[in-house]
Amino acid sequence: MTADELSLQLADLRPRLVRFARLQLRDDAAAEDAVQDALLAAAENAERFEGASAAATWVFAILRNKLVDEFRRRGRDPVALAGNEGEAALESLFEEQFDARGHWRDPPPAWSDPAASLEQKRFWEVFEICISSLPERPARVFGMRELLGMESEEICKELGISSSNCWVLLHRARLGLRDCLSRRWFGEH
């Protein structure tokens, strides 16, 4: 791949990178900085790109590392406590899903074809809306674990939370995403 071809791909990829960084950092300026750093690193290391993976995969891996660095730089401060109202709403949603014995009130319906849905661009747009609508703490923990691939222990250390709190936040995020995707993507409510 030539440098010009890579430059064109990076320019086309930039909006997706910015959206992803904003989802993780919840700060437009920090997201822009992380994306600029990732694009600069990609441009500076273009000769190392062997084409074994898609350019998008390569650049997202660079961005992922930049985001992890940003979380480390922020230390124990990245989680704002102002999201408690959203967490209360998500807790209410959680309570509505289960009966007193902890069993599903309405078991999750079988989703038609999740593999095919994942391939659709529109799905990712809806997913972005859904994850953006989650309260900050569960969304951040979910993003760090599932989108950035960080280990739970590392997340706990970075955010200064216990492993049980991490598990609860992941569970809440997954419930919120399931509910949102059920309504907005699979049309089930």
Side-chain angles (χ1 to χ4, degrees):
M1 173 178 298
T2 69
D4 289 338
E5 290 172 333
L6 182 60
S7 292
L8 287 173
Q9 284 191 10
L10 293 178
D12 289 343
L13 192 56
R14 189 179 182 290
R16 288 178 45 209
L17 294 167
V18 170
R19 281 194 307 270
F20 180 73
R22 282 183 183 146
L23 283 173
Q24 297 309 308
L25 299 175
R26 305 267 175 147
D27 178 339
D28 291 348
E32 290 286 344
D33 289 346
V35 169
Q36 289 296 359
D37 289 347
L39 291 174
L40 181 62
E44 288 175 348
N45 295 297
E47 70 280 351
R48 284 206 228 150
F49 177 63
E50 299 171 358
S53 63
T57 303
W58 179 62
V59 177
F60 266 97
I62 294 170
L63 178 59
R64 176 204 173 276
N65 292 332
K66 299 294 181 187
L67 294 174
V68 169
D69 290 345
E70 177 65 14
F71 284 126
R72 288 187 179 126
R73 186 191 65 73
R74 290 180 180 189
R76 295 171 58 96
D77 189 36
V79 177
L81 298 176
N84 290 339
E85 303 82 28
E87 285 188 43
L90 194 56
E91 183 67 31
S92 172
L93 171 66
F94 176 77
E95 294 297 327
E96 293 171 7
Q97 300 280 337
F98 300 94
D99 63 21
R101 296 177 302 159
H103 296 150
W104 288 102
R105 291 182 196 270
D106 295 313
W111 289 352
S112 56
D113 186 359
S117 295
L118 291 176
E119 296 174 7
Q120 298 179 21
K121 180 183 176 194
R122 178 76 179 119
F123 173 82
W124 291 110
E125 292 168 358
V126 172
F127 180 83
E128 183 179 329
I129 290 167
C130 289
I131 200 168
S132 295
S133 68
L134 291 175
E136 185 172 348
R137 287 175 58 111
R140 177 161 287 132
V141 171
F142 179 85
M144 293 172 83
R145 175 78 174 133
E146 303 300 338
L147 303 176
L148 297 178
M150 295 173 72
E151 295 296 324
S152 297
E153 183 178 298
E154 186 178 11
I155 294 168
C156 292
K157 181 181 174 190
E158 293 297 322
L159 301 180
I161 60 176
S162 68
S163 60
S164 60
N165 191 9
C166 182
W167 183 88
V168 167
L169 292 170
L170 282 170
H171 186 69
R172 289 177 179 171
R174 289 176 179 136
L175 280 176
L177 286 172
R178 178 186 170 271
D179 181 65
C180 182
L181 289 171
S182 290
R183 286 181 289 108
R184 294 180 177 244
W185 182 251
F186 297 103
E188 294 175 352
H189 286 249

